[in-house]
Amino acid sequence: MKATLKYLAGIAGPSGYGSKTTAEQATRDFSNSSNSQITAIITGATSGIGAETARVLAKRGVRIVIPARDLKKAEIVKEFIQKETPMAQIILFEIDLSSFASIQRFCAEFLSLQLPLHILINNAGKFSQKLEFSEDKIEMTFATNYLGHFLLTELLVEKMVETAEATGVQGRIVNVTSVVHNWVKRNQFNFSQLLNPKKYYNGTRAYAQSKLANILHAKELSRQLKARNANVTINAVHPGIVKTGIIRDHKGFITDSLYFMASKLLKSTSQGAATTCYVALSPQTEGMSGKYFADCNESHSSLLANDENEAHKFWKGTRVLIHR
């Protein structure tokens, strides 16, 4: 109850920010002391939180790379950002995050540009009400939200380590997750069933499971990066409940009867992008890794999300699948 009242009132946490903080406010202390321009890849940046994240980072002088399934939408976002920030560098690529082959093509194309890579924001999210499968024959929500971002990160993390070494600027990976990861019980979280649900499919459960997987990914990769003394961090962020396409298009996520009440708790898009931008740019998050953030403050994820053994086991299973 206390936490809910704090959220509604927008009371600031230890960071000095809270639920009402906007993305621009959360990045006002950012300054790039390096001579090289910061480069960020942001998935899901053609609308909603992702587009706002791209706009604010571009306003802070960051070069933005937008891999998108719909290049026409990406071009609209690019024009919108450059109208506000004419000097912004925005690079567009095509990608389908549910396809391993498409992700590999994008990474090869990006790496061929020989640009530095400081920030990777795994933001794109899919909520599939009906059971459908990717071209790799994997359940679509899990393939897009988790496996696609896992492979993308794996193919780019060495570039981030190299960039950090060359520039002295810490690399930052941000996995956008959700508080609904708390809904997942241990007996519901089986790797093989996530790939191909054999029993009754539930879209909300599949979404929650994919978001739990995003946190476990951050936990395990953080451990590995620390073990090799790499100057790259990875954290998971919950943006809050924002009126995005996932909320609008899927009544199974929030029912009509609850929507009016829920709307009082919804964040604006700029407030929703705040935590992502804060973790990606703020000097306050320098050196923080393997953490879970909400409302621009370190927060608590579920016991299952904090299970290091589960995180390591899940990472191993994922890597075997991807390199199969």
Side-chain angles (χ1 to χ4, degrees):
M1 186 64 174
K2 185 178 180 181
T4 301
L5 291 173
K6 186 177 179 180
Y7 172 87
L8 290 171
I11 297 172
S15 69
Y17 303 118
S19 62
K20 303 299 184 185
T21 299
T22 65
E24 289 196 32
Q25 291 169 339
T27 57
R28 62 190 173 194
D29 294 332
F30 168 71
S31 63
N32 179 22
S33 58
S34 169
N35 291 325
S36 64
Q37 184 177 33
I38 301 293
T39 302
I41 293 176
I42 308 171
T43 68
T46 57
S47 63
I49 295 170
E52 176 66 2
T53 300
R55 182 190 74 82
V56 172
L57 264 60
K59 194 170 183 177
R60 301 301 182 220
V62 176
R63 179 192 292 117
I64 305 297
V65 178
I66 301 178
R69 189 171 54 181
D70 189 331
L71 287 177
K72 288 183 179 179
K73 286 185 177 180
E75 189 62 45
I76 291 171
V77 171
K78 177 180 179 179
E79 291 175 3
F80 176 77
I81 292 173
Q82 290 182 329
K83 188 174 182 180
E84 180 185 23
T85 310
M87 299 299 292
Q89 289 190 44
I90 315 289
I91 304 171
L92 308 181
F93 286 99
E94 188 172 13
I95 196 172
D96 177 354
L97 274 167
S98 72
S99 164
F100 294 163
S102 178
I103 294 165
Q104 290 168 337
R105 279 195 300 271
F106 160 71
C107 290
E109 290 170 357
F110 170 76
L111 292 172
S112 72
L113 297 180
Q114 297 186 323
L115 291 172
L117 181 58
H118 305 85
I119 300 169
L120 172 60
I121 299 178
N122 294 319
N123 167 80
K126 182 174 182 62
F127 181 98
S128 184
Q129 276 190 310
K130 297 180 180 179
L131 178 59
E132 52 184 325
F133 293 91
S134 69
E135 67 178 38
D136 299 301
K137 297 180 174 58
I138 298 167
E139 189 277 312
M140 188 64 80
T141 298
F142 191 66
T144 305
N145 294 358
Y146 171 65
L147 291 175
H149 284 128
F150 183 102
L151 178 59
L152 182 69
T153 303
E154 177 157 293
L155 295 175
L156 295 175
V157 70
E158 290 306 318
K159 181 65 176 181
M160 296 189 71
V161 172
E162 291 170 8
T163 298
E165 289 177 350
T167 65
V169 178
Q170 187 171 80
R172 303 191 187 191
I173 304 168
V174 182
N175 283 359
V176 178
T177 181
S178 172
V179 71
V180 302
H181 79 272
N182 281 290
W183 299 352
V184 181
K185 306 300 180 186
R186 192 176 292 271
N187 60 6
Q188 299 173 333
F189 202 62
N190 179 282
F191 193 79
S192 61
Q193 289 186 5
L194 292 172
L195 299 174
N196 188 356
K198 296 177 181 179
K199 297 183 179 180
Y200 171 72
Y201 174 78
N202 180 283
T204 301
R205 182 172 59 201
Y207 182 79
Q209 289 168 331
S210 72
K211 292 302 176 180
L212 170 60
N214 290 147
I215 301 176
L216 292 172
H217 176 215
K219 292 284 183 184
E220 174 59 19
L221 185 53
S222 172
R223 186 192 66 79
Q224 294 180 18
L225 290 167
K226 287 176 182 177
R228 58 185 287 195
N229 293 317
N231 191 23
V232 177
T233 64
I234 177 168
N235 292 288
V237 305
H238 166 51
I241 307 301
V242 185
K243 192 175 181 180
T244 64
I246 286 178
I247 297 296
R248 288 194 302 270
D249 297 341
H250 302 286
K251 294 180 181 178
F253 198 84
I254 291 182
T255 64
D256 288 338
S257 60
L258 291 175
Y259 188 81
F260 176 75
M261 289 185 291
S263 67
K264 303 303 179 184
L265 302 174
L266 296 181
K267 288 186 175 184
S268 68
T269 303
S270 187
Q271 290 168 345
T275 306
T276 299
C277 292
Y278 172 74
V279 173
L281 288 185
S282 175
Q284 294 185 51
T285 56
E286 180 84 18
M288 297 182 75
S289 191
K291 308 297 185 182
Y292 172 75
F293 289 83
D295 299 329
C296 297
N297 287 276
E298 186 180 347
S299 189
H300 300 287
S301 55
S302 70
L303 287 174
L304 183 54
N306 277 299
D307 188 327
E308 293 183 1
N309 290 331
E310 184 69 31
H312 182 66
K313 182 176 71 174
F314 209 75
W315 183 88
K316 285 179 65 178
T318 304
R319 205 163 189 277
V320 167
L321 170 72
I322 284 176
H323 292 280
R324 186 172 60 191

